[in-house]
Amino acid sequence: MFTLFLALASGTLLGVILRRRSRLLAASNRIMSLSIFALLFLLGLSVGTNEDITHSLDRLGLEALVLSLAGTGGSVLLAYLLYRRLYREK
Amino acid sequence: MKNSLLILAFFAVGVASGALEWIPAWLQHPQATHYALLLLLFLVGVSVGGDEKAWELSRHLHARVLLIPATILCGTLIGVALVAPLLVDISVREALAVGSGLGYYSLSSVLITELHGERLGVIALLANVMREILTLVLAPLLARYLGKLAPIAAGAATAMDTTLPVVSRFSGSEYTTVAIFSGVVLMVLVPLLVTLILGL
């Protein structure tokens, strides 16, 4: 867990240092896309070899849908209340 | 959107090649994912640190604008915590971890897999992809009935990139800067929150 934080923090520091070097930053964004593709492939791979998961994908999907609706709904409702307070009073 | 489909395609090909068992042995090395994740987090840091516009933007906005991402985060966490008891095999903590993905599914799913396990990682992937799709589809309705901030809230961390076009279209272009600011703040929070919630 600490190494994860460290990776994030050192990256941010380097990003701040590299601010004016837009070509390096663009390259880093491209590598980021590639590493996301690689990671999602690897995640798929371990999911595909795990029968526990492949056999319950429909159930996991349903749970994901419930969590997704609840999270989105909660944030939208609170944002609605905030919107009324911030903007309607003026 | 093109990128999201590409990412899902990579995931699907991974699942297929795992299930059909044509996998080179070195890819199954568990450390491969770990190092790729470290690289990704490092690069996420670089892109956040290097994004001058986002930092510049925050200087010109009132501190009050921070209320927006804070509200979106609280609303999400309250929402998922409330439904967690309905889901038999999901604890409140697991639900909070999935909610902390805030739509940023590529990073949150991998991080959750690494810290907690594949099952929850898959749920996080699906739930956060669904959040993005819900936002893209519902943005016009949300903006009309629940205020201009609603599409930004639904998009959460994705309001700075993939869902930004629909947000500025339906909330109005004057909300574009707010959407980017809120999206950046939430995006930065995703890895921190996920590790905190699962690490405790």
Side-chain angles (χ1 to χ4, degrees):
Chain A
M1 190 174 126
F2 178 69
T3 46
L4 298 177
F5 271 122
L6 201 65
L8 193 65
S10 55
T12 310
L13 193 66
L14 186 68
V16 172
I17 293 169
L18 290 181
R19 256 196 204 160
R20 314 257 165 216
R21 315 284 294 274
S22 55
R23 273 173 60 198
L24 277 178
L25 288 176
S28 133
N29 278 332
R30 224 165 300 135
I31 303 171
M32 187 159 93
S33 302
L34 291 180
S35 69
I36 288 175
F37 294 150
L39 276 165
L40 267 290
F41 175 77
L42 288 171
L43 176 58
L45 199 61
S46 58
V47 166
T49 46
N50 186 334
E51 289 196 355
D52 228 24
I53 291 180
T54 46
H55 288 173
S56 55
L57 262 186
D58 48 344
R59 178 170 182 177
L60 298 185
L62 187 67
E63 289 170 339
L65 181 65
V66 172
L67 286 174
S68 184
L69 287 172
T72 312
S75 69
V76 164
L77 286 179
L78 269 199
Y80 172 62
L81 297 178
L82 178 71
Y83 180 72
R84 293 214 340 191
R85 276 198 74 100
L86 282 186
Y87 297 87
R88 293 256 171 102
E89 279 172 4
K90 284 190 217 163
Chain B
M1 198 62 205
K2 202 185 101 204
N3 247 332
S4 321
L5 291 175
L6 210 53
I7 288 172
L8 284 182
F10 270 92
F11 175 69
V13 171
V15 174
S17 49
L20 299 174
E21 294 179 350
W22 15 276
I23 347 131
W26 65 271
L27 271 178
Q28 285 197 301
H29 191 50
Q31 293 297 336
T33 317
H34 181 71
Y35 289 119
L37 179 61
L38 283 181
L39 176 68
L40 177 61
L41 280 172
F42 179 76
L43 293 170
V44 167
V46 172
S47 80
V48 169
D51 193 340
E52 211 163 351
K53 258 186 280 169
W55 296 89
E56 196 64 32
L57 206 62
S58 61
R59 225 172 292 157
H60 294 298
L61 293 170
H62 287 285
R64 203 163 65 155
V65 180
L66 265 178
L67 267 179
I68 294 169
T71 304
I72 296 171
L73 175 65
C74 292
T76 303
L77 295 182
I78 292 171
V80 293
L82 285 179
V83 296
L86 302 175
L87 302 169
V88 194
D89 48 2
I90 304 240
S91 68
V92 172
R93 188 162 68 108
E94 290 171 327
L96 289 175
V98 172
S100 310
L102 295 167
Y104 194 176
Y105 52 83
S106 53
L107 182 59
S108 66
S109 62
V110 177
L111 205 50
I112 288 174
T113 303
E114 164 97 1
L115 291 168
H116 195 77
E118 285 156 10
R119 226 185 133 78
L120 197 65
V122 172
I123 294 176
L125 175 67
L126 297 173
N128 285 296
V129 168
M130 286 172 193
R131 180 165 196 162
E132 182 180 300
I133 296 171
L134 279 175
T135 308
L136 293 172
V137 175
L138 296 178
L141 286 177
L142 293 173
R144 173 182 272 178
Y145 295 109
L146 293 171
K148 308 289 190 199
L149 291 178
I152 299 176
T158 68
M160 62 170 287
D161 45 40
T162 48
T163 61
L164 184 60
V166 294
V167 168
S168 44
R169 164 100 199 272
F170 295 106
S171 294
S173 52
E174 67 270 31
Y175 282 88
T176 307
T177 39
V178 173
I180 296 175
F181 173 73
S182 161
V184 170
V185 171
L186 292 173
M187 193 203 92
V188 174
L189 286 177
V190 171
L192 302 175
L193 281 171
V194 170
T195 20
L196 270 179
I197 288 171
L198 292 178
L200 288 178

